[in-house]
């Protein structure tokens, strides 16, 4: 089998009064993401990990934030398109793992729903999708609740 690995990283700014959509799941909170799309920073990092594994550029190349077509778009649509692109090239998804760095709210209650939602969007079993969350012990922009960062890795293969 021909295995390939990819890495993705994304950051979005948090602001009072906006929707918080993370890992494809809407989370009730006082702050949400400032972004051209729905701002789902976890999905964006996963898209970049998948695209990186296939050496197909990055999310900004495929879905430019200057294009009005992507204004407010549900990032699950972007993820489905990335997976379709990989499938066109003959790649299957092995597994995906990501780490969300966010001080508040506690994400534990949403993690399994995120895994299922992401797995559905990618057309894989949820045992192939891992979502982890950590605070940064109040350090840095994540710790000050100014923003959220997510890193992701993906393994893809040609069967
Ligand atoms: Mg982004």
């Amino acid at each position: 089998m021909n295995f390939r690995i990819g890495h993705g990283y994304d950051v979005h700014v948090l602001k009072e009064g906006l929707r918080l959509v993370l890992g494809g799941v809407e989370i009730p909170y006082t702050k949400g993401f400032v972004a051209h799309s729905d701002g789902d920073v976890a999905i964006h990092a996963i898209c970049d990990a998948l695209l990186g594994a296939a050496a197909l550029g990055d999310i900004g190349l495929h879905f430019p934030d200057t294009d009005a077509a992507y204004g407010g778009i549900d990032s699950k649509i972007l993820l489905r398109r990335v997976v379709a692109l990989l499938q066109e090239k003959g790649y299957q998804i092995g597994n995906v793992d990501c780490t969300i760095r966010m001080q508040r709210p506690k994400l534990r209650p949403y993690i399994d729903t995120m895994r299922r939602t992401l797995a559905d969007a990618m057309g894989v079993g949820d045992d192939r999708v891992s979502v982890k969350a950590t605070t940064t012990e109040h350090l840095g922009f994540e710790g000050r609740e100014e923003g959220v960062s997510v890193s992701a890795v993906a393994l893809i293969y040609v069967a």
Side-chain angles (χ1 to χ4, degrees):
M1 260 197 270
N2 177 15
F3 288 102
R4 302 177 62 118
I5 191 166
H7 169 257
Y9 176 75
D10 198 20
V11 174
H12 280 231
V13 171
L14 277 174
K15 197 179 160 195
E16 288 290 342
L18 297 177
R19 269 175 88 214
L20 179 62
V21 183
L22 196 56
V25 176
E26 183 149 2
I27 296 172
Y29 194 51
T30 56
K31 292 179 176 183
F33 294 120
V34 178
H36 185 63
S37 66
D38 65 5
D40 195 325
V41 64
I43 289 188
H44 297 178
I46 290 169
C47 284
D48 268 357
L50 291 167
L51 289 167
L56 286 173
D58 60 30
I59 193 171
L61 176 74
H62 293 276
F63 314 109
D65 63 7
T66 49
D67 188 334
Y70 304 118
I73 196 169
D74 179 341
S75 292
K76 291 193 290 295
I77 294 167
L78 307 183
L79 180 56
R80 282 193 209 105
R81 288 194 197 167
V82 165
V83 171
L85 200 64
L86 264 60
Q87 283 168 346
E88 275 169 34
K89 303 276 180 189
Y91 294 116
Q92 312 267 7
I93 295 170
N95 71 300
V96 169
D97 180 26
C98 68
T99 302
I100 302 165
R101 288 174 284 266
M102 186 170 198
Q103 192 63 43
R104 284 197 307 172
K106 285 288 174 210
L107 296 177
R108 183 66 254 170
Y110 306 102
I111 294 284
D112 288 337
T113 311
M114 287 184 199
R115 289 180 56 215
R116 273 196 304 277
T117 304
L118 294 167
D120 280 353
M122 287 188 278
V124 300
D126 54 11
D127 62 331
R128 290 175 187 256
V129 181
S130 163
V131 176
K132 311 189 301 302
T134 183
T135 72
T136 59
E137 302 288 343
H138 300 282
L139 293 171
F141 65 84
E142 301 99 327
R144 291 189 299 270
E145 296 182 58
E146 294 166 0
V148 174
S149 65
V150 179
S151 51
V153 288
L155 191 84
I156 63 172
Y157 62 94
V158 179

